[in-house]
Amino acid sequence: MAVDLTPRQPAKAYGGEGGAYYEWSPAELPMLGVASIGAAKLSLAAGGMSLPSYSDSAKVAYVLQGKGTCGIVLPEATKEKVVAVKEGDAMALPFGVVTWWHNTPGSATELVILFLGDTSKGHRPGQFTNFQLTGASGIFTGFSTEFVGRAWDLKQNDAAKLVSSQPASGIVKLSAGQKLPEPVAEDRKDMALNCLEAKLDVDIPKGGRVVVLNTANLPLVKEVGLGADLVRIDAHSMCSPGFSCDSAYQVTYIVRGSGRVQVVGPDGKRVLETRIEGGSLFIVPRFHVVSKIADASGMEWFSIITTPNPIFSHLAGKTSVWKAISPEVLEASFNTTPEMEKLFRSKRLDSEIFFAPN
């Protein structure tokens, strides 16, 4: 039975004055469950704070908008890292990491972070389960005051007061004048990579640009087990038809712009043909071939691939499979003439994976 690949927008899960948490559900986007991938988005208003929590899944976080602060406590660490974050930052968050997020008070824009990750070891395939450390849904609200008091070496009435003092759940807005730790410059090392400032892996004039996250430029990617990239293509440019040749799923979030996408699967069947726009998410099944063409506004997307060092094979351009195949095989495969084979091979000799409009 065919799985619906239609791109979807997220739904609000919870929130309040400080911001909101949105998530994609496998009920609406079935490929999330098939691929065991979770997807969510956190939006914090000025002064908003996402309370400390950990997840049942390893993730990649990408800052879509704004700037603020992220607190990170790695497993067995004795001190948190406090990292300044801004638009374009990508971070790898392994299992067991405790994080909190904060948008600068007085900020003119919301701080918006995208989370994409592997839920294969989680409670719900295709959906993150987050464990809050404090607040109305914090894990210590489930323990008796006796256990909390013993754990924290507090009198039971003090333990009860501490656990119940934060009535909010997940996201709060800090009071005026309430301070949080300032970011530490050295804490950013190996924790974040800004994809808008990083060295480009592919740069094709009037075509497009790519920054790839892998174990070389963001070491924690290895622990997360996911690769990622940021792709920006110019107006009316095309991204070459291609597929992941290492049995990986590709999960794509459209950051801005719009365009068209086609996905082709087994037996030459087109399994998706639709317009895509900012804010939508879709998943390309394993070994399926995908291609995109931007509208006049161009298009930008952030993707994760379910392997830390992905390998792609392209079916057009100078690095195409067809450029490597011998002329005789190409003629026989297409049942065409030597003249047509020469015409076919003479095209796209200088173009790589992005094709500017003629």
Side-chain angles (χ1 to χ4, degrees), residues 21 23-26 29-40 55-60 93 95 115-130 224-226 249 251 283 304 306:
Y21 181 82
E23 60 185 2
W24 283 264
S25 165
L29 188 57
M31 276 302 300
L32 289 172
V34 174
S36 290
I37 292 294
S55 175
D56 65 348
S57 305
K59 305 174 184 176
V60 172
L93 305 175
F95 282 110
F115 300 98
L116 302 173
D118 175 14
T119 65
S120 61
K121 297 180 181 178
H123 286 266
R124 299 173 295 175
Q127 206 159 7
F128 298 132
T129 299
N130 298 320
V224 172
L226 302 168
Y249 292 95
V251 187
I283 300 175
I304 65 164
T306 56

Side-chain angles (χ1 to χ4, degrees), residues 137-195:
S137 59
I139 59 175
F140 280 98
T141 62
F143 284 103
S144 67
T145 53
E146 177 194 0
F147 273 61
V148 176
R150 286 285 298 275
W152 292 344
D153 193 21
L154 293 172
K155 294 179 180 179
Q156 289 195 31
N157 61 332
D158 290 332
K161 184 183 299 184
L162 185 60
V163 169
S164 62
S165 61
Q166 177 55 272
S169 181
I171 299 172
V172 300
K173 186 165 185 177
L174 299 186
S175 303
Q178 196 167 359
K179 299 292 185 181
L180 289 179
E182 291 293 326
V184 179
E186 64 184 34
D187 284 354
R188 187 177 168 87
K189 183 181 178 182
D190 293 336
M191 295 302 303
L193 176 75
N194 191 276
C195 297

Side-chain angles (χ1 to χ4, degrees), residues 60-324:
V60 172
Y62 181 72
V63 181
L64 296 168
Q65 175 184 301
K67 59 183 180 179
T69 307
C70 176
I72 304 170
V73 181
L74 296 169
E76 301 184 338
T78 57
K79 185 180 178 182
E80 70 181 352
K81 293 180 180 289
V82 183
V83 180
V85 296
K86 63 180 180 179
E87 181 179 343
D89 278 350
M91 307 175 75
L93 305 175
F95 282 110
V97 169
V98 173
T99 60
W100 55 264
W101 301 81
H102 178 234
N103 189 8
T104 309
S107 173
T109 60
E110 292 184 335
L111 173 63
V112 184
I113 306 106
L114 174 72
F115 300 98
L116 302 173
D118 175 14
T119 65
S120 61
K121 297 180 181 178
H123 286 266
R124 299 173 295 175
Q127 206 159 7
F128 298 132
T129 299
N130 298 320
F131 294 81
Q132 304 294 332
L133 298 190
T134 65
S137 59
I139 59 175
F140 280 98
T141 62
F143 284 103
S144 67
T145 53
E146 177 194 0
F147 273 61
V148 176
R150 286 285 298 275
W152 292 344
D153 193 21
L154 293 172
K155 294 179 180 179
Q156 289 195 31
N157 61 332
D158 290 332
K161 184 183 299 184
L162 185 60
V163 169
S164 62
S165 61
Q166 177 55 272
S169 181
I171 299 172
V172 300
K173 186 165 185 177
L174 299 186
S175 303
Q178 196 167 359
K179 299 292 185 181
L180 289 179
E182 291 293 326
V184 179
E186 64 184 34
D187 284 354
R188 187 177 168 87
K189 183 181 178 182
D190 293 336
M191 295 302 303
L193 176 75
N194 191 276
C195 297
L196 300 177
E197 300 173 354
K199 179 182 177 181
L200 296 172
D201 293 280
V202 177
D203 185 8
I204 299 175
K206 298 183 180 179
R209 292 150 296 284
V210 182
V211 169
V212 178
L213 274 68
N214 52 39
T215 54
N217 55 21
L218 196 60
L220 281 176
V221 162
K222 183 177 181 180
E223 293 187 39
V224 172
L226 302 168
D229 58 25
L230 178 71
V231 180
R232 290 167 285 168
I233 62 175
D234 297 323
H236 303 298
S237 288
M238 179 184 196
C239 182
S240 168
F243 64 95
S244 170
C245 50
D246 44 14
S247 189
Y249 292 95
Q250 185 177 357
V251 187
T252 298
Y253 175 84
I254 307 301
V255 177
R256 58 179 54 88
S258 60
R260 292 175 289 146
V261 60
Q262 291 186 359
V263 178
V264 176
D267 302 321
K269 291 182 179 179
R270 191 182 310 152
V271 294
L272 178 66
E273 180 176 19
T274 190
R275 289 196 75 259
I276 45 179
E277 57 186 18
S280 61
L281 181 105
F282 70 99
I283 300 175
V284 179
R286 292 180 296 179
F287 300 109
H288 284 49
V289 178
V290 59
S291 183
K292 310 176 190 75
I293 297 178
D295 289 339
S297 59
M299 190 160 52
E300 178 179 335
W301 64 84
F302 184 82
S303 297
I304 65 164
I305 302 93
T306 56
T307 180
N309 293 296
I311 301 172
F312 286 95
S313 185
H314 292 277
L315 301 180
K318 72 177 185 180
T319 58
S320 163
V321 169
W322 289 113
K323 299 299 184 187

